[in-house]
Structure formats: structure tokens, C-alpha cells
Amino acid sequence: MNPDFFSLKVSEIRPEIKGKATSVTFDTPTNLAETFCWQAGQHVTLRFHFNEKEQRRSYTISNPPGAPLRITVKRVAGGLVSNHIGDHLKPGDMVDVMPPFGQFSLTPDPLKRRTHYFFGAGSGITPLFAMINAVLKEETHSVAHLIYGNADGESTIFGKELDKLKIEHAARFTLRHVLSAPSLWSWISPWRKGRVDAEAIKIAVTETPPVAQDVQYWICGPGAMNKDVSNALMALDVPANRIHMESFGGATMTASSVTGIAAKAQVNLGGSTYEVPVSADQTLLNAILAAGLTPPFSCQSGVCGACKARLTKGQVHMHARMALEDSDVTRGEILSCQSVATSDELSISFDN
Amino acid sequence: MTRMYHRLPVDAYTSQDWFEREQRQVFSRTWRYAGLAEDVPEPGHFVSIQAGLNNIFIVMGRDHRLRAFHNICRHRGTQLIRAVGKTQKALTCPYHDWTYDLEGNLISIPDEAKEYPNGVDKSCLGLKPASVDIWRGMLFVHPDPNPPSLVEWFGAVDPLLGPHKPEELVEYPDARQSYEIKANWKIVVENYIDVYHLSHLHSNTLHMYDHARAEYGWKGPHYHFWEPPAPDYAKDLEKNLPTPRAIPEPHIGAWVPMLFPGIGLGAGEDSWNIFIITPLGPDLTRVENRTKLANASGWEFQKQEWSSWSFWKDFGGPKYPDSDAISEDDPMASGDFTAEDIYACEQQQKSLTSPYFEVGPAANGESPVVRHQQAILDFLETQEAGT
Ligand code: FES
Ligand code: FES
Ligand SMILES: [Fe+2]
């Protein structure tokens, strides 16, 4: 990926679910078309400056590849950036955007014949929506099943668009709403009441068992949902390598109670080697930034993988590692934004 | 000089060598029909299938996904499971009770500590994975865990196979049968795709369809064929169909493709049939038939039978009149097109070993016969280049 920001013009702003979320569409000039190519499920990072302070946030691209670049941002109570986007951003504004990245992506393949199960909740729908569109348009022998959790019909993002897909692709797409607090008058009739839990998953799979036997499971929801859904799938003997997930709304920093130790790090970056001091409470990324270097990074929450480096000497602890596969970790890859030193001498490299 | 039968040597139809070569290079290297999807209806159910030299079994996991493995115990090779059945969580080999889970992992070896005092790495002794998929309501297995997908294999011919949705039809169990034909499997295929013979061998059994207006061709090694109903039959088609429609109006006609290798389908307005050809020896072939019909009530079947009765009551009859029949059960007097075909195949096979056999020119309607021979040569060539 390209770790630089590009200034893009907002071409359309559309409130979703009564202004509780906002879809922002950007113009991508033709000379940047290649740079801003994406896979369904990937993100972009936006950069804003409020009172001299830089704020970066990553949002999932909610359009399938080939369509205009669009993100859908749900308001977070007290959230600096999400409310700025909802209240002030307007067509014509210029925003700094970093090209798409992310490991949670589905590459449609017209020669594949797969059954995709999507489990999403809340704004976790954004990457899944892009993936479902990509499968329906480009992987024409495959089937998509969405089990989608929300509080009620009113807070359901892309409800209308999903209904439309259901009609257009009746033979290849099924949609089941799970509502935790359905209102009587809603236009959405839930398939089940409650949450996307083990019971719902088991029933969903039994109702629509896979026909195409290359089966993939995609999970994206807030908080504990991912763990719950993947546990439920594993309890049905789904092999781990068929489950793909991403937690939404930033990884929670639960494990950050582990503190590091002060260390000296040797850093390979852009062909040069630097000596960087790391203090006990500093992530490697912060230490390297503090030393005046410009390593790649983006979400700073362990989700995007932009800050990936290879550890060649010493040990680190990672608070979160959502963006890495187990195999990456065995190869020595680390997320510098999530790593604190646990041995006093380290060598890491951003170059491959 | 090698005697030829169009593109192939006559030997290809009579010799043990060719039989073994095809078993190895064709039937052990392709997607193979393995039954109907409903043969493995629920988690824990399994079936095994001989596919060329490979015996592969399919089992459904609790996630309703099918898994396929080579049916070979990793200890001394004993076949683990027989035909069909149901298990809960594990598969145990009858010989020394090695036990595997439904992911193929070896989970227990009896008396492990005593019998293998130096230890044994169970993780390297899992069942060898194969592949399985479902397509048009049928199970297919492939010996390779990463084969070309069914889209790559059948994708191009798929749109030409008719609007049937076999998964929505129901099997008519009385039509399920399996029989042997004393002829090479390619003779049976060639008979199935010989357009020329339809109006002759079957002059009195298949004339409800208009063979002169048949449309047929090839997509790779797969043959597709469609023909419309003959005018007499078409005049009052909805009334004349013997059983309720299996496909919606306005679709009409008969789709009779032959997928490679030896997977025949035969589908019309009111039924869907499979005709699976399996070589058993150079001059012995097994054919399995299964039939699916509309998912309609008994009453609807009854009504359709009554409405079509007047068309069928005088329809068809023996190719040869009774006076010409050589015995009571002469297939040429049976009025049954399958009996006619079997008879023709066996009579043809008998001559292939004669030193005086010499093939005549292929007619237009026999172009598929020649093309199928070429498909075999092509497939063998790619396979043998690969090894
Ligand atoms: S910056 Fe995104 S994972 Fe580190
Ligand atoms: S051969 Fe299977 S347990 Fe010995
Ligand atoms: Fe025939």
C-alpha cells in the first residue's frame, strides 16, 4: 500500500438512518484511479486537523470495487471525527485520504464457486456490503447469505439497498435480519429476535446449507460479536482457515495493561538504519515517530496492518494483532503501533 | 498396421491396456459423479464412491459442509467405510481401530503407548483429503484436494443443459436401476450421442421428438444436445405430457447432453434423468439410472396420466413386427428404446475383435461420435504431458 495522503474532493454527502450515519463519496481523479483501487472489505484512512492536532481515522469502503469511492461513517457519541463528518462535511470539501488497505478483503473470482456466509452487526455491515456486492456482480457462480444484527429497523444501515439486492439476485442472495429491539411499525420484519448468537448461526446454516462446497465465513461486528460468532462456528467444526473477521469500531485496548521495558531499537527504514530509544510506556511506532522518522502507519489500533514491520531480534508484546494472521506472526511480523518492548535490545525492519 | 475405428485404434475398445490407461488417466483424474445431493442428507451421513482407481468417501460435518477423503486407513490401508451410513463424530477402521474425526484427523490409536513405545506423530497420519462439490443437485468428487473448480470444468456447457432445477424435483425410486452392458464404455457413450441412429434404431420408440431439428455441439469435452417435440406431440403438449411439468412453461424439448467422462443426462418437460456410464472392463460397462419428477401431488400425477392417455395409448411399438421377432424377449420387438440401445452396443462390440472389422464412413449425424474419440485423445494428451 501507499502510505501517503492524497487530497480528494467530496462529491456527495448522504445521511443514512436519519442522520445517525453519513455516507461520503469522493471524486478520484483519473491519475489516482490506480492508487485508489480497492478490494471489497478494505479501508481508507482520513486525516483531519482540529486545533493544530492531527486526527486519523480508518473507515471501511462501503462500495464494491469499480463504483465511486464511498465510506459510511456512523456517529460515535462525543466522537470528534465522526460528528465532524456528520455535521460539517459538504460536497466540494477537500479531505486527506490515504489509499485503501486492509487484510479483511474478499477478492471475487469468476472461476470460483463458493458459498459465502456473512455475519454482521451495526456498522460492521460496511465491509460486508462491499463484499456482497462484489460477489453478486463478479463471482456469478457463487452464493451469499447475510445474517445481519441490529437494534431495530430504524438503525439498520443499507436496509433498502440490501432489499434491492435480494430482489435482483433472488437465486444467489439471502438476507436475514436479527433485531434485538424490533419496533412494531418497522418496515423490516426480523427473521429472529435477539442477537447473532450461536443458536441463530446454527439455524441459519441449517436453513440454507451450502450448495457450493467451497464455504467461507465473513464476520464483522462490534465488540464481542466476532469472538462469539467465530466460537459458534468452530463449535460446528468450521475450520479456522475458512473464517475471516474484523472487529469494528477500532479494537478495544483491553490487553494494554501489559507494559513494556525501556529498550534500544535498531530500525531499518527506507534503506537506512537508525538507533531509536524506546521508553517503557511507548509503542515502537510512537518511539520511531518521536525520533523524527516517517514510518508507515494508519489506524493506530491494530486493525489495518499499515505499520507492519519484521522483528529480527529481541521480543515485543502486542496489545492487539487483528491485522495479522497467525502465519504472519510466526514469520516474525509485528504491528509497530501495538508493540511494546519486552527485551532491551530490538531490531526491526520496515523494508522487505 | 493399427486398425482404426475413426480416430481411435480398435484396440482402445478391446484391450486391457487401454482400459487401464483410461482408468488411470481419465477416470482417476476428473470430477466424477458420486450420487444425488440427498444421498448425504444430514451431518454425520456418509457415502463412498469408486472413482477410477480412487475410492473416495464424502461425509457431512455439523456445519452442513461436505468433506471428502480417500477411503484409505493411514495404518495399513484398509477401506474405512462401506457404502453408506451415519456416524456421530468419528470414523473407526475395522482392522486395528484407528479412529479419525470428521476432519480426517487421526484422533486415537488403541494401546498407543504399548504398541508405539517410541511415539507416533498422529498429526502426520490424517486421512488424505479429496474434493467434493454439488452441482445441479448431483454430488461430484475429485481425487485432488485443490482441483479446478466445477465452474472451470462445466461452466461453459452449463447454460446449454436446460432450465431444470434437480434440487427442487423429487426422485422417482422405481426408476432407479443399474445394469451391465457387454461393450466398451465408449461404445455406450457413442450410442448415446449418435444423432443418426435416433430415427432408425428408435424409429418406433422416440418419435415424439423431432430429431431432424436437433441442435447439438461441444463445449470442450462436453457434448450438449437439444431437440423440440415433434409436431404431433407438440400440438397438445401440455395435455400429452405423461407426468406433470418439471420445468416451467414455455420451455419445451429434450436436453440430452453427455458430460465428460460418461455422465449422461436426459431431461424433458416432465422429467430429469441421469445415465452414468462406468467402465468395468475392456468390454463391460455399468450404467446407472436415476429419475426425478415434479414435486407435485398424487392427484396431479393422476390427472396428467388421464389427460395424456389418448396420446400414448397408440404410441410406439416394436421396431420389428412380431412375425420378425426371433424370440419372446427379442429387444428389437420390445418397444423399449433402452433395450434397443443395449442390443445395438453389444452387437457392435462383438465385431470389434474380428480381423475383418473395418469401420465405414461416419455420417453427419455421427460427427459427435468422432468428436468424442478426439476428446479422449485430447484429454489423455494433456494428462500424459502433465506426468
Ligand atoms: S497502524 Fe494500523 S495496525 Fe498499526
Ligand atoms: S489398517 Fe486401519 S487400523 Fe490398521
Ligand atoms: Fe439410443
Side-chain angles (χ1 to χ4, degrees):
Chain A
M1 69 159 267
N2 186 334
D4 297 329
F5 280 97
F6 296 84
S7 184
L8 298 185
K9 191 196 284 164
V10 175
S11 62
E12 193 192 333
I13 294 281
R14 202 179 83 177
E16 310 274 0
I17 49 172
K18 306 208 168 106
K20 283 187 253 153
T22 312
S23 285
V24 183
T25 309
F26 296 98
D27 262 346
T28 34
T30 30
N31 64 323
L32 289 181
E34 196 127 312
T35 320
F36 278 87
C37 244
W38 70 90
Q39 309 275 319
Q42 287 194 309
H43 326 263
V44 286
T45 301
L46 269 51
R47 180 171 68 184
F48 293 93
H49 291 93
F50 302 133
N51 307 324
E52 313 276 284
K53 254 198 94 179
E54 178 181 303
Q55 300 288 343
R56 294 181 177 205
R57 295 288 186 280
S58 294
Y59 296 106
T60 310
I61 302 169
S62 57
N63 259 350
L69 178 64
R70 181 186 70 174
I71 55 172
T72 301
V73 179
K74 194 166 178 184
R75 283 185 197 260
V76 179
L80 223 47
V81 176
S82 64
N83 287 310
H84 171 77
I85 290 175
D87 295 335
H88 303 299
L89 211 60
K90 50 185 191 314
D93 286 356
M94 302 300 289
V95 178
D96 285 345
V97 186
M98 192 190 279
F101 61 86
Q103 318 246 335
F104 183 62
S105 65
L106 187 165
T107 312
D109 179 345
L111 288 182
K112 283 197 171 143
R113 192 166 163 273
R114 301 189 276 192
T115 302
H116 298 282
Y117 290 98
F118 296 95
F119 301 96
S123 35
I125 190 65
T126 45
L128 303 186
F129 184 68
M131 291 176 177
I132 290 166
N133 272 288
V135 168
L136 294 178
K137 294 212 172 63
E138 281 165 58
E139 199 171 286
T140 52
H141 292 271
S142 293
V143 165
H145 301 292
L146 171 63
I147 292 84
Y148 184 16
N150 280 290
D152 53 26
E154 265 43 71
S155 60
T156 298
I157 303 178
F158 296 140
K160 297 253 153 59
E161 287 87 341
L162 288 166
D163 272 346
K164 203 165 143 243
L165 287 180
K166 204 174 70 178
I167 293 161
E168 283 167 8
H169 301 276
R172 297 175 47 225
F173 177 52
T174 68
L175 168 61
R176 277 161 285 188
H177 289 288
V178 180
L179 300 181
S180 56
S183 61
L184 267 183
W185 314 111
S186 174
W187 53 277
I188 281 181
S189 54
W191 166 66
R192 279 171 72 84
K193 237 185 99 159
R195 296 183 336 103
V196 182
D197 56 10
E199 184 67 12
I201 289 161
K202 198 166 164 197
I203 295 175
V205 172
T206 312
E207 270 185 16
T208 53
V211 175
Q213 296 294 314
D214 181 349
V215 187
Q216 305 293 333
Y217 306 83
W218 306 86
I219 316 171
C220 188
M225 182 187 133
N226 288 8
K227 212 61 262 108
D228 293 352
V229 174
S230 67
N231 285 343
L233 290 172
M234 313 254 258
L236 295 175
D237 299 331
V238 172
N241 61 4
R242 293 181 178 274
I243 303 177
H244 317 274
M245 57 182 174
E246 180 166 86
S247 96
F248 205 78
T252 40
M253 298 296 228
T254 43
S256 54
S257 53
V258 180
T259 47
I261 61 174
K264 261 206 323 268
Q266 220 178 59
V267 179
N268 288 336
L269 176 63
S272 313
T273 306
Y274 307 90
E275 286 285 332
V276 173
V278 185
S279 63
D281 57 355
Q282 222 176 9
T283 64
L284 299 188
L285 178 68
N286 283 336
I288 296 164
L289 288 169
L293 305 176
T294 52
F297 72 103
S298 171
C299 70
Q300 298 187 56
S301 51
V303 174
C304 75
C307 66
K308 211 157 62 181
R310 187 188 289 266
L311 183 68
T312 52
K313 185 174 153 207
Q315 274 163 7
V316 300
H317 168 82
M318 277 187 269
H319 295 319
R321 34 161 284 202
M322 193 69 64
L324 297 179
E325 302 280 336
D326 287 345
S327 57
D328 300 332
V329 175
T330 23
R331 274 203 305 272
E333 291 189 353
I334 59 166
L335 299 174
S336 58
C337 76
Q338 296 299 311
S339 301
V340 293
T342 52
S343 63
D344 55 8
E345 284 195 25
L346 301 174
S347 294
I348 69 168
S349 172
F350 287 93
D351 306 336
N352 21 18
Chain B
M1 205 190 76
T2 337
R3 281 180 319 135
M4 296 299 286
Y5 167 29
H6 304 313
R7 298 283 164 87
L8 290 171
V10 176
D11 246 17
Y13 295 77
T14 56
S15 78
Q16 185 68 21
D17 277 2
W18 262 87
F19 169 72
E20 282 168 14
R21 183 174 171 208
E22 288 169 342
Q23 284 296 98
R24 219 172 33 246
Q25 310 287 29
V26 179
F27 289 89
S28 305
R29 300 278 187 100
T30 43
W31 284 101
R32 192 75 196 125
Y33 164 88
L36 298 180
E38 50 267 44
D39 297 349
V40 188
E42 272 173 54
H45 284 250
F46 54 78
V47 295
S48 72
I49 171 92
Q50 189 69 30
L53 303 177
N54 304 304
N55 194 279
I56 294 172
F57 76 89
I58 304 170
V59 59
M60 185 184 281
R62 285 187 296 156
D63 53 5
H64 289 253
R65 188 172 58 84
L66 300 171
R67 286 97 167 121
F69 298 100
H70 289 271
N71 192 7
I72 302 172
C73 177
R74 290 299 307 279
H75 179 220
R76 256 158 64 198
T78 310
Q79 283 200 350
L80 276 170
I81 63 163
R82 299 173 281 191
V84 297
K86 179 164 164 58
T87 173
Q88 279 314 311
K89 290 219 70 167
L91 298 162
T92 300
C93 175
Y95 206 161
H96 311 91
D97 286 342
W98 283 29
T99 296
Y100 304 84
D101 67 16
L102 299 189
E103 299 301 318
N105 301 308
L106 176 60
I107 50 176
S108 99
I109 298 181
D111 309 326
E112 184 176 344
K114 179 166 128 267
E115 296 292 344
Y116 294 93
N118 301 323
V120 51
D121 185 353
K122 293 210 279 293
S123 69
C124 303
L125 292 168
L127 297 177
K128 295 197 170 157
S131 297
V132 55
D133 209 345
I134 298 176
W135 179 74
R136 288 191 169 247
M138 293 174 279
L139 298 166
F140 282 85
V141 290
H142 195 292
D144 189 326
N146 293 303
S149 74
L150 284 180
V151 176
E152 287 164 77
W153 184 235
F154 288 139
V157 78
D158 186 59
L160 297 159
L161 304 183
H164 302 76
K165 293 203 177 98
E167 64 278 14
E168 291 171 8
L169 307 178
V170 286
E171 181 159 21
Y172 175 56
D174 294 5
R176 184 169 183 175
Q177 56 168 349
S178 165
Y179 49 91
E180 286 173 12
I181 301 179
K182 292 190 217 62
N184 184 271
W185 75 278
K186 298 186 291 297
I187 293 290
V188 179
V189 170
E190 290 169 5
N191 167 263
Y192 200 87
I193 64 183
D194 171 357
V195 180
Y196 185 25
H197 89 296
L198 294 173
S199 329
H200 302 282
L201 180 64
H202 306 309
S203 55
N204 228 352
T205 43
L206 285 178
H207 53 292
M208 63 285 203
Y209 287 100
D210 191 347
H211 313 314
R213 288 166 59 207
E215 294 169 10
Y216 52 93
W218 293 80
K219 292 285 173 198
H222 309 299
Y223 169 74
H224 57 89
F225 173 101
W226 174 85
E227 59 182 0
D232 266 2
Y233 189 45
K235 208 165 53 206
D236 229 339
L237 184 69
E238 301 312 319
K239 182 169 157 281
N240 293 343
L241 294 174
T243 56
R245 261 188 174 276
I247 52 174
E249 288 180 63
H251 295 292
I252 54 163
W255 290 260
V256 193
M258 173 58 67
L259 307 173
F260 194 79
I263 304 161
L265 304 179
E269 299 87 351
D270 67 333
S271 71
W272 180 85
N273 307 276
I274 54 177
F275 187 95
I276 306 299
I277 297 169
T278 309
L280 300 177
D283 52 6
L284 190 63
T285 298
R286 192 179 59 229
V287 172
E288 288 172 71
N289 297 138
R290 291 173 83 169
T291 293
K292 287 183 137 188
L293 300 173
N295 188 1
S297 66
W299 168 237
E300 283 169 279
F301 274 86
Q302 186 65 72
K303 275 195 306 190
Q304 198 67 39
E305 191 185 327
W306 288 334
S307 82
S308 62
W309 179 78
S310 59
F311 178 83
W312 295 101
K313 71 178 182 346
D314 302 319
F315 180 87
K319 177 174 170 68
Y320 297 154
D322 277 356
S323 52
D324 280 3
I326 50 171
S327 70
E328 288 264 287
D329 51 3
D330 183 352
M332 289 299 97
S334 65
D336 169 358
F337 73 89
T338 307
E340 292 167 345
D341 280 329
I342 297 174
Y343 180 72
C345 290
E346 295 186 342
Q347 292 297 87
Q348 189 190 359
Q349 181 77 27
K350 284 177 188 165
S351 302
L352 295 177
T353 43
S354 161
Y356 285 85
F357 171 77
E358 194 182 331
V359 75
N364 271 338
E366 288 172 300
S367 63
V369 171
V370 180
R371 178 66 183 71
H372 182 254
Q373 298 180 347
Q374 189 60 44
I376 301 224
L377 289 171
D378 293 348
F379 194 85
L380 285 173
E381 193 186 329
T382 36
Q383 291 306 314
E384 287 167 358
T387 45

